[in-house]
Amino acid sequence: MKSVAEICSDLIRFDTTNPGAGERPAAEYVATLLSDAGVEPVVFESAPRRTTVVARIPGDSPDALLIHGHLDVVPADPAEWELHPFSGEIVDDCVYGRGAVDMKGSCAMTIATVLGMRERGLRPKRDLVLAFLADEEATGDFGSRHAVAEHRELFDGVSEAISESGGYSVNHGDVRVYPVAVGERGTSWMKLTAHGVAGHGSRPAIDNPVATLVEGLSRLSAYQWPVRLTPSVAALIQNLSEITGQAIDLDRLDAEAERLGSLGSLFKAQIRNSANPTMLEAGYKVNVVPSSAEAHVDGRYLPGLQEEFLATVDELLGPKISREFVNLEEAPAAPYPSDFFDELAGSLVAEDPLARPVPYVMSGGTDAKSFDRIGIKGYGFAPLMLRPDLDYFGMFHGKDERVPVEGLEFGTRVLTRLLTSA
């Protein structure tokens, strides 16, 4: 049987950059591993080479658990990396390459866990559904959205799910904090357009849309979004206060996040909404005032705050700038406290006595949004024990992405315990 590190390396060597040539080679590799272990995969495509793999393993209870991961990755420039981003090399006991953290390492842990269970004759305590998806790094239209819309029956009986961006260790003194995601901020990707009057660039402009758009973006960028503490983030802060032995001042959370360093990063971006301009386009010649100007904004909002977020955006932009959605997704939230959260926490503590699991809310988004639409409540739980010197958040979409071999092995043990109580 292949080790989890070998599977991770193999997956990284498939260049599944999105946008790119698609996920098919990686999906076929996953399907072959599962099939060889006696698990019958369902393989389908939403478009040529945009391939997803789903498999179901019967358990002792028909109340099914979904483990989902994505096979696509964001682009990587080899010139910026110490090792080639698609080499999958193992150096200094770390697997290097694009996707090591986001999230082929997690997919490898899931596969290795299932292969190990099959080899040992272990049956999951509940039905287990595995999904290895295309297109998470874009909108999910070719992946999770297609899966829930066109293959809904594959997820029958699933009540809860686990996936990326949670269950990793953050070192603090003699304990390790493990944030388990119980929600995400919602996504509001917007295209903004300002219209005006075209004219010669040497003459006074009557109504310059570039200036209108820039002024609106400036107001949006300068706006200090108010702190909005959701129950899950408040619970996280209370947990961190108890772990550190120091009260966290709720009236100065930005400063407290800086003081707490890596622990503060768990709530720094999750205490308010945000809207960041990311793309600009206007004009075609330096001496021509164009008739329109466009920009794109990455907006994120906390659970329950979509209406407040959009109203604020409209007020800041003003009446001369219109907006349309490139992608709008709700902010999903999973039950907390809950028996299932306790199961996740217990599996961590059983493998790491120094573990202190805490709830948190992701600043970004995952495929959990698609599954939430069909009633599947998602938790961020891809367990990893990380070295103190590794910047987990910095490696997401960053250069020299890597994951420790011992971290992958730890995650495989945690998942095995979670799925089987073995």
Side-chain angles (χ1 to χ4, degrees):
M1 188 183 90
K2 283 181 175 286
S3 71
V4 63
E6 289 172 329
I7 297 171
C8 181
S9 294
D10 289 346
L11 287 173
I12 288 170
R13 293 188 186 105
F14 296 108
D15 183 350
T16 53
T17 300
N18 188 0
E23 299 84 1
R24 181 188 290 176
E28 291 175 343
Y29 171 82
V30 170
T32 299
L33 287 179
L34 294 176
S35 181
D36 288 348
V39 178
E40 291 302 320
V42 178
V43 181
F44 56 86
E45 292 191 333
S46 54
R49 301 183 65 82
R50 306 311 306 270
T51 315
T52 287
V53 180
V54 179
R56 182 180 288 260
I57 302 172
D60 294 331
S61 168
D63 177 24
L65 172 68
L66 168 66
I67 304 180
H68 61 90
H70 60 87
L71 297 173
D72 62 324
V73 297
V74 296
D77 182 355
E80 297 180 347
W81 287 57
E82 291 185 12
L83 300 173
H84 195 282
F86 297 106
S87 68
E89 289 191 50
I90 300 177
V91 178
D92 295 330
D93 293 320
C94 283
V95 185
Y96 276 74
R98 177 58 85 217
V101 169
D102 185 19
M103 67 171 297
K104 289 181 176 178
S106 299
C107 290
M109 290 193 300
T110 299
I111 296 167
T113 298
V114 169
L115 297 186
M117 288 168 55
R118 304 292 285 187
E119 187 173 66
R120 296 163 58 189
L122 296 176
R123 181 180 174 90
K125 49 186 185 179
R126 57 197 289 194
D127 280 9
L128 182 61
V129 177
L130 312 175
F132 302 89
L133 300 153
D135 198 37
E136 191 274 347
E137 295 294 359
T139 61
D141 284 342
F142 295 104
S144 59
R145 289 183 179 178
H146 173 82
V148 300
E150 302 298 329
H151 300 275
R152 172 67 181 84
E153 72 284 355
L154 296 177
F155 307 100
D156 286 348
V158 176
S159 57
E160 294 151 332
I162 59 173
S163 189
E164 62 181 318
S165 298
Y168 57 91
S169 63
V170 180
N171 287 269
H172 179 79
D174 59 354
V175 301
R176 280 184 284 269
V177 176
Y178 287 84
V180 176
V182 296
E184 311 177 356
R185 293 198 299 173
T187 300
S188 177
W189 293 347
M190 297 171 284
K191 176 184 175 182
L192 311 181
T193 305
H195 295 282
V197 179
H200 200 289
S202 67
R203 298 175 181 174
I206 298 174
D207 186 7
N208 189 330
V210 177
T212 299
L213 184 63
V214 168
E215 289 166 1
L217 291 175
S218 179
R219 291 191 297 270
L220 190 63
S221 299
Y223 181 67
Q224 182 66 24
W225 293 85
V227 170
R228 295 284 188 263
L229 272 188
T230 61
S232 297
V233 176
L236 164 66
I237 292 172
Q238 178 60 38
N239 273 268
L240 294 181
S241 295
E242 295 171 1
I243 290 169
T244 61
Q246 295 180 317
I248 296 175
D249 190 342
L250 299 181
D251 293 325
R252 50 191 305 274
L253 283 175
D254 292 303
E256 292 286 61
E258 293 300 319
R259 176 179 68 83
L260 290 169
S262 57
L263 290 184
S265 67
L266 299 180
F267 65 81
K268 184 176 182 179
Q270 290 88 333
I271 57 175
R272 53 169 59 91
N273 302 327
S274 65
N276 285 315
T278 54
M279 298 168 63
L280 286 169
E281 184 177 1
Y284 55 88
K285 201 170 187 294
V286 68
N287 62 347
V288 177
V289 175
S291 60
S292 65
E294 297 178 350
H296 283 75
V297 170
D298 183 347
R300 309 284 175 150
Y301 61 90
L302 288 162
L305 296 182
Q306 183 190 101
E307 184 176 341
E308 174 185 305
F309 170 78
L310 293 176
T312 302
V313 168
D314 289 340
E315 182 179 353
L316 292 169
L317 293 177
K320 297 178 71 175
I321 300 175
S322 63
R323 63 168 170 80
E324 59 184 286
F325 295 117
V326 176
N327 187 33
L328 179 66
E329 295 184 291
E330 292 289 345
Y336 175 82
S338 69
D339 290 342
F340 187 59
F341 182 94
D342 292 343
E343 282 188 54
L344 299 174
S347 64
L348 285 167
V349 174
E351 293 296 332
D352 180 8
L354 299 181
R356 294 291 297 271
V358 298
Y360 97 118
V361 173
M362 300 181 212
S363 62
T366 74
D367 282 323
K369 289 180 168 65
S370 295
F371 292 107
D372 188 69
R373 295 176 183 175
I374 59 173
I376 299 173
K377 295 303 180 183
Y379 293 80
F381 188 77
L384 280 174
M385 184 186 291
L386 296 171
R387 299 172 183 174
D389 61 319
L390 287 181
D391 179 6
Y392 180 77
F393 289 111
M395 288 189 293
F396 268 82
H397 299 187
K399 62 182 183 180
D400 297 327
E401 189 179 346
R402 60 199 184 277
V403 62
V405 172
E406 62 183 357
L408 294 171
E409 293 170 346
F410 168 80
T412 302
R413 294 194 301 272
V414 172
L415 288 176
T416 302
R417 185 176 292 275
L418 173 69
L419 300 179
T420 67
S421 296

